[in-house]
Amino acid sequence: RKEVEQDPGPFNVPEGATVAFNCTYSNSASQSFFWYRQDCRKEPKLLMSVYSSGNEDGRFTAQLNRASQYISLLIRDSKLSDSATYLCVASGSAQGAQKLVFGQGTRLTINP
Amino acid sequence: DTGVSQNPRHKITKRGQNVTFRCDPISEHNRLYWYRQTLGQGPEFLTYFQNEAQLEKSRLLSDRFSAERPKGSFSTLEIQRTEQGDSAMYLCASSLALPFGGYTQYFGPGTRLTVL
């Protein structure tokens, strides 16, 4: 079993739709969590950190449920430019200073 | 452009050959990480350095792999006697680890290795 698991998709949604991704992690010692975005043949880039209290950045909302070991990402009013692979990430360090453990990634395509 | 650079960007080699990749992190960053990514998968951790000290190595890093960061700045990753299974994207990331935070890992563009 992988330490971080996500549905690989692909998700194909129309522009303007709301889309939600989920992932689960198995290491209960994980302390910090992130969503990274990766465009085709590019490097991963940090989209946002994830906190238990939930956090929002524009159209993006991330949520962490430590009891269920579950992380979510919600994208509202999706844009064509949101098409990418979204990587769920856990880290054993409270400050994420140690290794990042990535999920397989969820591929999203926004259709016009 | 995150400021992390990697060279070469692409490397094609024959099985059994040795290859070396270089990573130049963001200049003030004290931590440097190597990851490997195969098609359809997320990156997998290989090793990381704090300054020149190698603090952790993954079980993925067989004895054919060696990484160095001799002066705490750039790093090299060498693969000896390459195998077809080594074909992957090798990603380098750097971060500034401080007591109070500042830990975001910024990734370089990667080196894509193809072993024939």
Side-chain angles (χ1 to χ4, degrees):
Chain A
R1 183 186 173 191
K2 291 189 176 183
E3 194 170 328
V4 177
E5 295 206 58
Q6 334 177 213
D7 180 347
F11 285 59
N12 291 282
V13 302
E15 191 175 10
T18 296
V19 60
F21 304 138
N22 306 312
C23 91
T24 57
Y25 62 96
S26 60
N27 185 353
S28 57
S30 298
Q31 297 189 48
S32 50
F33 306 89
F34 312 90
W35 284 100
Y36 273 72
R37 171 194 168 125
Q38 186 171 29
D39 294 300
C40 188
R41 294 188 168 270
K42 298 285 190 179
E43 71 272 22
K45 293 186 177 180
L46 179 65
L47 180 65
M48 58 198 304
S49 300
V50 188
Y51 305 111
S52 296
S53 55
N55 49 303
E56 189 173 311
D57 183 2
R59 298 180 293 106
F60 298 82
T61 301
Q63 186 74 50
L64 166 65
N65 183 322
R66 286 189 184 273
S68 303
Q69 297 185 192
Y70 174 95
I71 303 162
S72 65
L73 176 69
L74 184 75
I75 306 175
R76 292 182 301 278
D77 187 24
S78 53
K79 311 292 185 190
L80 296 176
S81 58
D82 294 334
S83 296
T85 295
Y86 290 82
L87 297 159
C88 179
V89 185
S91 174
S93 163
Q95 297 183 339
Q98 295 177 17
K99 66 180 181 182
L100 301 179
V101 180
F102 287 82
Q104 180 180 0
T106 298
R107 187 171 172 185
L108 172 67
T109 300
I110 306 298
N111 301 308
Chain B
D1 183 0
T2 63
V4 179
S5 61
Q6 293 186 244
N7 288 288
R9 295 291 305 277
H10 303 274
K11 179 69 176 179
I12 300 174
T13 191
K14 292 183 179 179
R15 189 176 54 187
Q17 298 295 304
N18 299 343
V19 294
T20 299
F21 310 142
R22 175 176 170 130
C23 171
D24 287 88
I26 294 171
S27 59
E28 65 270 22
H29 283 186
N30 54 1
R31 290 208 172 188
L32 187 149
Y33 307 78
W34 285 99
Y35 293 85
R36 180 173 70 185
Q37 186 174 26
T38 54
L39 196 62
Q41 301 298 315
E44 295 175 293
F45 170 80
L46 293 177
T47 188
Y48 87 95
F49 295 83
Q50 173 142 335
N51 300 313
E52 65 276 7
Q54 189 171 18
L55 296 186
E56 186 175 348
K57 292 169 61 173
S58 162
R59 287 183 301 238
L60 293 175
L61 215 66
S62 75
D63 56 6
R64 296 185 297 106
F65 288 71
S66 62
E68 294 182 342
R69 194 183 184 198
K71 297 182 180 179
S73 56
F74 72 92
S75 175
T76 58
L77 177 68
E78 181 182 17
I79 309 174
Q80 296 182 327
R81 305 181 303 281
T82 53
E83 301 173 357
Q84 288 184 325
D86 297 331
S87 295
M89 175 76 86
Y90 289 83
L91 292 160
C92 175
S94 71
S95 72
L96 179 61
L98 299 172
F100 54 85
Y103 49 80
T104 300
Q105 291 188 28
Y106 296 90
F107 283 81
T111 294
R112 184 171 296 279
L113 173 66
T114 302
V115 181
L116 302 176

